[in-house]
């Protein structure tokens, strides 16, 4: 069977997915790998274990007589760098983007390169320490200069996985343009600070094409260049939907993409967790973030404990108009200090004791979260588009989707059932079909 293979590397699960020529999933394999720690004892991905896992799975796929692999691509999480020596071996741990960035080094950086807000606006990247992967290279240069000097090439994680599959070293726009602080959205090139530090010389070249032919023995396999996972999930929508839309990619984070917005970012947006991304072709995407899933899970646990119900009680809660009309105390967040559209600390905890039941509390939790989401969507020009697509776990939440449809009566709101949007996007990008239709996985949400 002719297949396209996609290696989809998440923080928790590592998997490969095989698509047939109609982009139906015919096989998948998923595994969770144990973490390790870096030299400071900070938890991180085990790069040696991940390397072996990818190589072993790829070898097995190539030798599997059931499949004729015609194309391969990678989607993986961002803000993570692999530094290779002259022998193409990793020089360092795969440092976690959650690792704290030293304050003294941050002061050194901004004393030389100027106002943090100006730099953030130019790079479309809120100042987030190690989450700005360019800052990881800066940190390495001044913390471990002897190791830095040994770096022959630095690859973002999706491109490192691609290198393991094909031996090709590249950089791609989606990895460079996801809150890295590397890319100037004014000059459409590496930022001046990157050039002054010489960091761009460590990075593999950026290639404009979408694929190349990888030779495996006497067989040619079409290969992509790897994609940042959030940007990969946007691809099926950009290919199938012709009118301007906003995509809500929901999960632990809700990332809202408007790839039809072309206005420069403002400091107001920046302070409220907006940022720029790049499409695989190098065009800009305006995005906003909300710590939706994390806040949801935290408050659901509080509700379950208070009302002594099962932790997953909310999965069977049906939409109830009467509950939403009840007079209730205001919603306060617990997990959104410093992020989202309202980054200020909450003055108090949300009062769950004011509700009569777990169902009532849950309705108003979703109401509070969607009201924050509406602020987040306003920041990226939601009224400049005609449609909203909801992808991910919250697409199956009836209360969530109905409240969105009700708030945007002039928009068409769709929930989608694309459980592998990230993998599918990587498959579509490498094979480039003339058309792509996923209408069977879409259903319109009615406000009433």
């Amino acid at each position: 069977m002719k297949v396209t293979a996609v290696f989809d590397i998440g923080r928790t699960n590592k998997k490969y997915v095989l698509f047939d020529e109609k982009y139906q999933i015919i096989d998948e394999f998923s595994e969770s790998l144990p973490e390790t720690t870096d030299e400071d004892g900070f938890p991180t991905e085990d790069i040696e274990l991940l390397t072996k896992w990818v190589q072993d799975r790829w070898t097995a796929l190539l030798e599997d007589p059931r499949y004729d692999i015609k194309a391969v691509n990678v989607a993986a999480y961002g803000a993570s760098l692999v530094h290779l020596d002259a022998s193409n071996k990793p020089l360092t741990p795969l440092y976690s983007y959650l690792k704290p960035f030293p304050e003294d080094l941050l002061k050194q950086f901004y004393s030389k390169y100027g106002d943090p807000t100006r730099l953030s606006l130019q790079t479309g990247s809120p100042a987030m320490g190690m989450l700005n992967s360019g800052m990881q290279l800066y940190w390495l240069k001044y913390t471990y200069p002897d190791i830095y000097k040994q770096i022959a090439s630095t690859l973002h994680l999706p491109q490192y996985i691609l290198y393991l599959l094909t031996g090709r070293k590249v950089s791609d726009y989606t990895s460079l343009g996801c809150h890295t602080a590397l890319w100037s959205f004014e000059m459409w090139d590496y930022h001046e600070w990157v050039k002054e530090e010489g960091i761009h010389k460590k990075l593999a070249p950026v290639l404009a094409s979408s694929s190349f032919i990888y030779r495996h023995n006497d067989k040619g396999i079409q290969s992509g260049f790897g994609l940042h996972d959030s940007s990969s999930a946007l691809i099926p929508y950009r290919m199938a939907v012709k009118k301007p839309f906003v995509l809500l990619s929901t999960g632990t984070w809700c990332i809202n993409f408007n790839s039809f917005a072309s206005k420069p970012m403002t400091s107001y947006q920046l302070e409220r967790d907006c940022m720029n991304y790049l499409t695989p072709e190098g065009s800009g995407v305006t995005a906003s973030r909300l710590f939706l899933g994390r806040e949801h899970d935290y408050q659901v646990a509080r509700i379950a404990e208070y009302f002594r119900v099962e932790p997953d009680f909310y999965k069977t809660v049906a939409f109830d108009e009467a509950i939403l009309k009840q007079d209730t105390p205001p919603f306060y967040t617990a997990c959104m200090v410093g992020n989202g559209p309202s980054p200020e600390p909450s003055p108090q905890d949300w009062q769950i004791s004011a509700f009569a039941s777990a169902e009532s509390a849950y309705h108003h939790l979703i109401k509070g979260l969607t009201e924050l989401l509406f602020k987040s969507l306003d920041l990226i020009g939601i009224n400049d588009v005609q449609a909203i697509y909801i992808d991910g776990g919250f697409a199956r939440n009836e209360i969530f989707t109905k409240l969105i449809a009700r708030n945007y009566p002039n928009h068409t709101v769709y929930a989608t059932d694309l459980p592998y949007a990230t993998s599918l996007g990587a498959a579509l990008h490498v094979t480039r079909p003339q058309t792509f239709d996923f209408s069977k996985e879409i259903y319109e949400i009615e406000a009433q």
Side-chain angles (χ1 to χ4, degrees):
M1 181 181 288
K2 295 178 180 179
V3 299
T4 296
V6 173
F7 280 77
D8 189 342
I9 308 300
R11 283 294 304 267
T12 304
N13 293 315
K14 325 300 171 191
K15 64 174 177 275
Y16 67 73
V17 183
L18 302 183
F19 294 91
D20 65 16
E21 293 178 286
K22 294 182 178 180
Y23 300 98
Q24 299 299 308
I25 295 173
I26 57 159
D27 196 8
E28 62 175 303
F29 179 85
S30 179
E31 193 169 356
S32 180
L33 302 178
E35 285 190 326
T36 185
T37 55
D38 63 20
E39 65 272 4
D40 298 321
F42 199 87
T44 190
E45 186 88 62
D46 188 330
I47 188 62
E48 291 184 7
L49 190 60
L50 178 60
T51 297
K52 186 176 186 306
W53 185 90
V54 171
Q55 290 172 330
D56 288 350
R57 299 282 83 75
W58 183 225
T59 298
L61 279 173
L62 288 170
E63 294 175 352
D64 194 321
R66 296 174 296 170
Y67 305 123
D68 177 11
I69 298 175
K70 291 296 185 182
V72 65
N73 208 354
V74 176
Y77 61 88
S80 302
L81 299 175
V82 181
H83 312 287
L84 302 178
D85 64 15
S87 301
N88 295 316
K89 301 295 182 186
L91 274 164
T92 70
L94 183 65
Y95 293 112
S96 170
Y97 55 63
L98 299 175
K99 186 180 176 74
F101 197 93
E103 282 295 325
D104 58 340
L105 202 56
L106 210 56
K107 289 178 182 177
Q108 174 186 304
F109 178 83
Y110 287 119
S111 67
K112 183 172 183 180
Y113 294 111
D115 178 52
T117 299
R118 182 181 63 84
L119 278 168
S120 293
L121 287 172
Q122 291 169 344
T123 60
S125 308
M128 298 184 286
M130 287 287 205
L131 258 169
N132 304 133
S133 57
M135 296 300 289
Q136 295 180 28
L137 270 163
Y138 184 85
W139 169 79
L140 196 62
K141 181 178 181 179
Y142 291 98
T143 306
Y144 298 107
D146 292 340
I147 293 176
Y148 181 83
K149 290 173 185 175
Q150 297 176 53
I151 298 175
S153 55
T154 290
L155 302 173
H156 276 90
L157 182 60
Q159 287 69 51
Y160 174 66
I161 304 301
L162 180 83
Y163 166 73
L164 296 177
L165 302 178
T166 68
R168 187 81 177 263
K169 295 180 189 174
V170 298
S171 293
D172 102 294
Y173 285 118
T174 66
S175 291
L176 291 174
C178 66
H179 54 73
T180 63
L182 288 166
W183 194 257
S184 170
F185 284 82
E186 292 180 345
M187 303 304 295
W188 231 252
D189 193 2
Y190 288 116
H191 194 275
E192 284 303 313
W193 83 261
V194 178
K195 295 179 179 179
E196 191 163 334
E197 292 290 339
I199 281 174
H200 65 300
K201 297 177 182 177
K202 300 290 187 183
L203 298 166
V206 184
L207 300 181
S209 59
S210 62
S211 65
F212 66 96
I213 300 301
Y214 157 63
R215 307 301 305 187
H216 175 68
N217 298 328
D218 60 346
K219 177 181 174 61
I221 299 175
Q222 194 174 1
S223 173
F225 292 130
L227 296 161
H228 174 238
D229 53 8
S230 295
S231 299
S232 185
L234 182 58
I235 289 172
Y237 297 89
R238 283 176 57 87
M239 291 189 71
V241 182
K242 303 310 176 187
K243 292 183 179 180
F245 66 91
V246 163
L247 172 66
L248 280 57
S249 181
T250 66
T252 301
W253 286 96
C254 178
I255 304 180
N256 312 303
F257 295 100
N258 185 351
S259 57
F260 302 88
S262 57
K263 298 175 184 177
M265 189 168 290
T266 66
S267 56
Y268 184 84
Q269 288 174 301
L270 194 70
E271 291 164 2
R272 286 155 182 80
D273 228 352
C274 294
M275 63 198 72
N276 289 129
Y277 283 77
L278 286 173
T279 68
E281 297 76 29
S283 59
V285 177
T286 301
S288 61
R289 296 193 315 168
L290 188 69
F291 214 4
L292 186 78
R294 179 69 186 92
E295 185 73 40
H296 173 273
D297 292 351
Y298 174 83
Q299 300 292 1
V300 162
R302 289 184 66 211
I303 294 170
E305 181 180 9
Y306 183 83
F307 289 102
R308 298 181 181 180
V309 295
E310 293 297 318
D312 62 349
F313 76 93
Y314 65 94
K315 293 180 179 178
T316 58
V317 176
F319 181 89
D320 189 326
E321 179 70 42
I323 291 178
L324 288 170
K325 291 180 178 178
Q326 294 171 357
D327 188 25
T328 59
F331 176 69
Y332 295 110
T333 65
C335 306
M336 295 191 189
V337 178
N339 62 70
S342 301
E344 306 81 12
S346 294
Q348 64 185 71
D349 290 337
W350 183 42
Q351 297 176 36
I352 293 173
S353 58
F355 297 94
S357 67
E359 290 76 15
S360 176
Y362 187 70
H363 271 74
H364 288 273
L365 166 62
I366 299 300
K367 183 180 178 183
L369 290 175
T370 53
E371 286 172 353
L372 283 169
L373 176 62
F374 302 151
K375 293 181 181 179
S376 193
L377 292 174
D378 285 343
L379 291 167
I380 60 166
I382 187 66
N383 291 319
D384 296 334
V385 304
Q386 294 108 11
I388 300 169
Y389 288 82
I390 308 168
D391 179 272
F394 282 87
R396 295 179 286 278
N397 188 307
E398 182 189 18
I399 306 170
F400 181 83
T401 56
K402 281 187 177 294
L403 286 175
I404 291 174
R406 178 176 295 181
N407 192 68
Y408 296 105
N410 297 324
H411 291 65
T412 309
V413 179
Y414 301 98
T416 66
D417 187 17
L418 279 179
Y420 293 94
T422 298
S423 301
L424 177 61
L428 289 167
H429 191 251
V430 67
T431 53
R432 310 300 290 182
Q434 291 293 317
T435 59
F436 174 66
D437 178 18
F438 65 157
S439 56
K440 292 180 181 178
E441 285 78 32
I442 298 175
Y443 51 98
E444 187 174 343
I445 302 299
E446 299 292 340
Q448 299 299 329

